[in-house]
Amino acid sequence: MPKTYALIGAAGYIAPRHMKAMAETDGTLVAAYDVNDSVGVMDSHFPDAAFFTEFERFEADVHDRRLLGGSLDFVSICSPNYLHKAHMAFALRAGADAICEKPLVLDPAELDALAALEADSGRRINSILQLRLHPSIIALKEKIAAGPADRVHDVDLGYFTSRGAWYHASWKGLDEKSGGIATNIGVHFYDMLSFVFGPLRTSVVHHRAADAAAGYLEFSKARVRWVLSINRSHLPPQTPAGQSTYRSITVDGDEIEFSGGFTDLHTASYRGILAGEGYGLDEVRASIELVSGIRTAPIEPSRGERHPDLRKVVGA
């Protein structure tokens, strides 16, 4: 039977991928909410869905549907990071499962509160961890697992994605709302690293600022030098002309290519959730704990190996 959805954060960057995934898995969006009313993208898939710019009216609509015997199977959540916990709690209390973008929460302790809500409600929280579904990442994981059990691989992760002044004026530029750059643009990479290379053993922070962060990680099967930046001036010299984003992951000197295939990963995520194979609270804990630690760790520029592109970021 087709599933029914409500959507929180319908005007955001990632919401169209959720709508596409709903449509491609034969679902129906019945109600959506966002404080911003620029949601014409809904017409492409669900022109008849109710839309609200006030959460109270959205909440009342969901409540009325239940009173009238209507079903609501899932609430998909694409709201700002700091609101995820409240919106997941709303979903569970409304009798629906939650599908939430990363990061599920900013504070690891909130995962325990959500687990209690799951137990009380009998409903489930699912996280979008789409990199785990990318064919290149799956192939890498299989390759690492098939190799010598005691081998520790050398990994370099560099992600430079230019953002304008608007970024710092938005919720994304506020650490208390986004979790900072490592959380906001890096959490999916950290999840991928633990997914492929096993449990985290060591985390060192070399640099942490509003526009960039860098450090060194040791997993059971990898030593990782990483750097993240949203500052256009930090783009490394090897960035192709005319591009404002540079992303590179190498394992033992070999580049891992996974720039393509992203547009279908949300649909794959939804298919997994509908099959009972979604990623729950236990799967996200490692990455949430890691980024939480990065936000508060002391800066130790001389400890551990530094990413080669960090020199351009710090100017030394």
Side-chain angles (χ1 to χ4, degrees):
M1 183 175 178
K3 301 299 183 181
T4 55
Y5 296 84
L7 175 62
I8 298 176
Y13 166 78
I14 206 66
R17 294 189 188 179
H18 283 259
M19 295 182 210
K20 179 174 179 282
M22 294 172 196
E24 292 183 344
T25 55
D26 298 321
T28 300
L29 179 65
V30 297
Y33 159 75
D34 201 295
V35 293
N36 190 323
D37 61 7
S38 297
V39 290
V41 65
M42 290 174 59
D43 291 343
S44 299
H45 298 298
F46 305 105
D48 296 326
F51 174 71
F52 304 92
T53 58
E54 298 170 354
F55 191 82
E56 293 82 359
R57 296 183 63 201
F58 170 75
E59 183 178 30
D61 180 83
V62 169
H63 179 67
D64 289 348
R65 290 176 189 276
R66 294 185 67 195
L67 286 179
L68 296 173
S71 66
L72 181 61
D73 298 300
F74 295 96
V75 176
S76 296
I77 299 162
C78 305
S79 52
N81 299 348
Y82 72 106
L83 296 175
H84 285 177
K85 178 176 180 288
H87 290 158
M88 286 184 284
F90 164 79
L92 270 54
R93 289 169 179 149
D97 288 352
I99 301 175
C100 189
E101 276 294 335
K102 302 176 299 298
L104 282 190
V105 292
L106 299 180
D107 181 352
E110 293 181 332
L111 294 173
D112 298 325
L114 288 171
L117 280 174
E118 280 189 327
D120 288 344
S121 66
R123 311 306 302 184
R124 177 177 168 81
I125 292 169
N126 302 277
S127 179
I128 298 292
L129 302 177
Q130 72 269 36
L131 281 185
R132 295 190 181 201
L133 303 178
H134 195 289
S136 295
I137 301 304
I138 293 172
L140 175 62
K141 180 177 174 64
E142 292 173 347
K143 178 181 177 180
I144 299 301
D150 60 349
R151 182 174 182 184
V152 180
H153 301 267
D154 290 309
V155 179
D156 281 347
L157 164 63
Y159 183 45
F160 299 80
T161 179
S162 304
R163 297 289 187 269
W166 67 267
Y167 184 96
H168 299 287
S170 75
W171 64 268
K172 295 180 179 181
L174 302 174
D175 281 8
E176 66 272 22
K177 292 187 175 183
S178 72
I181 186 171
T183 302
N184 205 39
I185 72 168
V187 67
H188 52 301
F189 291 118
Y190 301 125
D191 175 76
M192 179 271 289
L193 289 169
S194 63
F195 175 65
V196 173
F197 297 107
L200 178 71
R201 291 178 174 172
T202 301
S203 176
V204 178
V205 177
H206 293 147
H207 178 73
R208 184 176 58 231
D211 62 353
Y216 172 74
L217 302 167
E218 287 185 3
F219 296 88
S220 61
K221 286 183 171 291
R223 294 177 290 264
V224 181
R225 304 183 297 181
W226 63 270
V227 60
L228 308 169
S229 175
I230 58 169
N231 189 327
R232 184 181 298 270
S233 69
H234 294 163
L235 286 169
Q238 61 268 35
T239 305
Q243 291 192 14
S244 60
T245 294
Y246 179 80
R247 174 175 57 203
S248 174
I249 296 180
T250 63
V251 178
D252 301 322
D254 295 328
E255 188 79 26
I256 305 302
E257 175 54 49
F258 63 102
S259 57
F262 274 93
T263 57
D264 297 325
L265 294 181
H266 277 73
T267 297
S269 298
Y270 270 63
R271 288 199 177 105
I273 290 167
L274 293 172
E277 300 171 353
Y279 296 113
L281 299 177
D282 289 341
E283 283 86 357
V284 304
R285 185 176 292 275
S287 60
I288 297 298
E289 290 178 344
L290 197 163
V291 293
S292 177
I294 288 172
R295 286 198 298 274
T296 58
I299 306 300
E300 301 177 277
S302 301
R303 183 181 167 210
E305 298 181 36
R306 291 156 58 100
H307 191 282
D309 288 327
L310 178 57
R311 180 180 298 274
K312 185 172 179 62
V313 171
V314 299

